Amino acid sequence: MPRGAWLFRAGEPGDAIFVSIEGEIGVRLAGSTRRLASFAPGVMVGEMAVLEGHRRSADAIAETDLMVLRLSAEAFEHLRATHPALAAKLLHNISLYLAGRLRGLTADLAAWVGR
C-alpha cells in the first residue's frame, strides 16, 4: 500500500485483521489528524473489530509505503472451524498482544493522572 492509503476508517465493518510486514501504520481518532499510535512492522491492527464483530473504532493509515498481510474475517472463521488448535494459538497470541497494549495504555494513563 502506498503512503497515505487507508487500511480502514472508523465506522467501517471489521472485515479483516492486518499484520504489518514492512512500513508503519498510524492509528487516528475518527476524522482527525491526531495520531493515537504508530505501529512498526510485525504489529497487527484491526483485530478488535474482527473478534467483536463490531465496526472499526479508529482510522488506520499507511504512514509510509506499507506491506501488510490481510486476514479476512471469513478466513479467520474458516481457520477456527477447520483448524481449531491453530486458531487457539492465534487467539492466544492476539490475547497476549492486546494485554500488552492495554498494559501500556494503563501505564500512560497512570503517568498522566500522576502529573
Side-chain angles (χ1 to χ4, degrees):
M1 302 180 84
R3 180 177 190 248
W6 295 95
L7 280 79
F8 53 80
R9 295 178 191 249
E12 292 179 347
D15 63 346
I17 297 170
F18 296 89
V19 179
S20 172
I21 301 301
E22 195 174 292
E24 294 185 10
I25 299 171
V27 176
R28 301 175 181 178
L29 293 172
S32 172
T33 58
R34 181 173 181 175
R35 183 180 346 148
L36 296 174
S38 185
F39 296 113
V43 173
M44 79 180 81
V45 296
E47 72 289 338
M48 292 189 320
V50 170
L51 292 175
E52 292 179 309
H54 290 178
R55 297 195 171 273
R56 304 289 186 188
S57 61
D59 297 337
I61 190 168
E63 291 187 331
T64 63
D65 287 344
L66 188 64
M67 182 183 300
V68 295
L69 297 176
R70 181 182 184 276
L71 178 62
S72 71
E74 292 82 16
F76 182 70
E77 287 304 315
H78 179 74
L79 179 69
R80 288 176 57 184
T82 60
H83 301 285
L86 179 58
K89 288 183 185 222
L90 178 59
L91 285 168
H92 177 76
N93 287 338
I94 290 172
S95 298
L96 292 174
Y97 173 72
L98 288 172
R101 283 187 13 203
L102 183 57
R103 216 174 264 288
L105 181 60
T106 301
D108 290 348
L109 183 58
W112 182 77
V113 169
R115 290 184 193 178

